[in-house]
Amino acid sequence: MKKSLARGKLLLNMQMSPLDYNQGVELLRLICDLEDAKRGDVVVMLTHRFDMMPDPTIRAMVMEKFEHVVTHVTTRKASGWPAGPNAMMGDSFMAAINLQRKGLHIDAVMFMECDCVPLAKDWIDQIKAEWEQCREAGKYVLEWGEYSRYTYE
């Protein structure tokens, strides 16, 4: 029996480096402004490059609209393209896996960079609905703990 995304959470991972931090903060403001009420079905992970420290005021701003906000500082010390973004992605994925192992039920992960701008007020609900449709059809799904099972179409 497949788990419904309604029972788990969508993890939105916002990755930021010193070069795009200000743009990332503005994007987070927009994402928060789009939400009418506080969401409990989404985890926001604020991922910072290894040479940055999380700003508690940004986390507090995001917590006004999202019940679950996690900050993460990468441990992989790479910078420049493509090594820097790839290291952040890999480190972020491992952090998401560790959240799952600690008991936070996550059904889907969306990795965002600072130029990933929502174009609809209900964009999170649209993404969750699309994920559920793909999952039910067996398309492009990676189940937690089953790293070798991919289906592509």
Side-chain angles (χ1 to χ4, degrees):
M1 178 182 207
K2 294 181 182 177
K3 295 178 277 189
S4 167
L5 190 54
R7 285 185 270 151
K9 299 185 186 322
L10 168 66
L11 183 125
L12 294 177
N13 176 37
M14 172 63 77
Q15 300 183 157
M16 295 182 282
S17 75
L19 297 174
D20 58 14
Y21 179 77
N22 290 336
Q23 184 178 351
V25 171
E26 289 305 313
L27 178 56
L28 288 167
R29 280 193 181 99
L30 171 64
I31 290 170
C32 290
D33 286 346
L34 290 173
E35 295 302 322
D36 292 325
K38 195 168 195 173
R39 293 190 80 123
D41 61 336
V42 177
V43 177
V44 177
M45 184 163 70
L46 306 172
T47 299
H48 298 77
R49 198 171 75 176
F50 65 91
D51 54 353
M52 299 175 67
M53 291 303 299
D55 181 345
T57 61
I58 302 305
R59 183 175 189 272
M61 174 191 70
V62 177
M63 286 189 73
E64 289 179 15
K65 293 295 180 90
F66 296 92
E67 187 176 322
H68 306 282
V69 181
V70 178
T71 55
H72 174 66
V73 178
T74 62
T75 57
R76 298 177 187 194
K77 299 198 177 354
S79 59
W81 188 89
N86 290 343
M88 285 186 74
M89 172 72 173
D91 203 291
S92 298
F93 190 67
M94 291 308 300
I97 291 170
N98 286 333
L99 288 173
Q100 180 78 2
R101 288 177 178 161
K102 290 178 181 177
L104 187 58
H105 184 76
I106 299 168
D107 274 347
V109 179
M110 179 176 173
F111 293 92
M112 298 180 69
E113 293 183 0
C114 297
D115 59 354
C116 184
V117 180
L119 298 177
K121 185 163 179 61
D122 66 341
W123 70 284
I124 292 175
D125 294 326
Q126 289 182 35
I127 288 171
K128 289 174 64 176
E130 183 72 21
W131 168 259
E132 195 63 38
Q133 287 176 357
C134 290
R135 180 183 211 161
E136 288 173 3
K139 296 180 182 177
Y140 199 71
V141 173
L142 171 65
E143 294 289 338
W144 290 106
E146 299 180 34
Y147 301 112
S148 61
R149 195 183 103 199
Y150 286 92
T151 305
Y152 297 95
E153 285 192 19

